[in-house]
Amino acid sequence: MEEIIVTSFYQFSDISEVREEMQKRLAGLEEIRGLIHLTPEGINGMASGTAEKLDELRAVLADYPHFDEIDYKDSVCPEHPFPRWKVELKDQTIFYKEGYVPNGRNHSHISPEKWHELLTGEEPVTVLDTRNYYETRVGKFRQAIDPDIKVFTEFSDYLDSCDLPKDQTTLIYCTGGIRCEKAILEMEEKGFEKVYQLEGGILRYLEKFPNQEFDGECFVFDSRVAVDQELAPSQKYWLCPHCGEPGDLKMDCARCGEEALICKSCAEEKPVCSKNCAYHYKLQKK
Ligand SMILES: [Zn+2]
Ligand SMILES: [Zn+2]
């Protein structure tokens, strides 16, 4: 069977004039799955398919000068990690407080090589994760500060309440880079003097430096749940049937005896394999 490639990409660029036409062309592509958001701010997407099919996707995007710097981050998967193919018109590429739209290209990006050098160097740096708590729990840079947020929009409140040194070099990162493109704008506005963002995010770092400064696995928003240090689909995590968050606990279901793949925080109250078993288990206990 031919290998499936999973690619993720974004570029901020005003595509309001062309996005409806793009939507038609992209939606017409066959044997591709994934999700693309076309917004007045630019494009944000994830797609899976054979190398040949993804070339067709890249060829459509290459027809638009708006995407001259689009950066595809690829990994492989034995099967499609997305259930369907959707191309949607949305207001924002990544949902955040209004008013933070990157317009310059390459706003304080640093390469994975430079990032690695800074993390292992002598100069004191603050490393800040811009992702959500269920993502950082699966893996993060060893020395990173975890703001423990539920959704990206809370990052803004975190900036107001945190007491990070604003005059020290601050390095921010996320999965593929798009969240940092917005976060950096607000951080600079709030007085952080030297902020840099990891170009291509964790995905690009792991491509160059597996098993180095990043610990654990990288959460991804598709059926793989996470990718490991080699960017292969996780063998360790699944989505807990009770809370929907990544879990890594295997046990025998307290009701039906089948294997239950759940998360640690649900284990005490719901040591069962499914929502259905959870329902009956609760009745049983009364
Ligand atoms: Zn759970
Ligand atoms: Zn069960």
Side-chain angles (χ1 to χ4, degrees), residues 93-149:
T93 47
I94 180 90
F95 190 67
Y96 197 58
K97 223 162 96 177
E98 300 265 336
Y100 297 104
V101 183
N103 53 16
R105 303 274 166 86
N106 190 0
H107 186 132
S108 306
H109 282 193
I110 55 174
S111 67
E113 288 78 9
K114 181 72 188 166
W115 177 273
H116 187 74
E117 195 184 303
L118 286 167
L119 256 56
T120 50
E122 298 289 310
E123 189 204 344
V125 292
T126 306
V127 184
L128 179 60
D129 200 313
T130 64
R131 301 171 306 149
N132 306 328
Y133 74 90
Y134 53 84
E135 300 174 83
T136 56
R137 221 161 57 186
V138 167
K140 67 178 191 59
F141 280 99
R142 199 164 303 141
Q143 53 178 289
I145 294 164
D146 173 9
D148 195 30
I149 53 176

Side-chain angles (χ1 to χ4, degrees), residues 252-260 271-278:
D252 293 334
C253 175
R255 177 167 180 271
C256 73
E258 295 284 316
E259 184 174 67
V272 289
C273 73
S274 62
K275 280 213 155 74
N276 187 38
C277 277

Side-chain angles (χ1 to χ4, degrees), residues 137 239-247 262-267:
R137 221 161 57 186
L239 293 182
C240 172
H242 308 302
C243 67
E245 289 174 9
I262 61 174
C263 82
K264 287 191 185 82
S265 39
C266 291

Side-chain angles (χ1 to χ4, degrees), residues 160-175:
D160 293 330
S161 63
C162 73
D163 50 13
L164 299 176
K166 293 186 171 172
D167 54 352
Q168 183 168 300
T169 297
T170 307
L171 305 175
I172 60 172
Y173 70 94
C174 59
T175 318

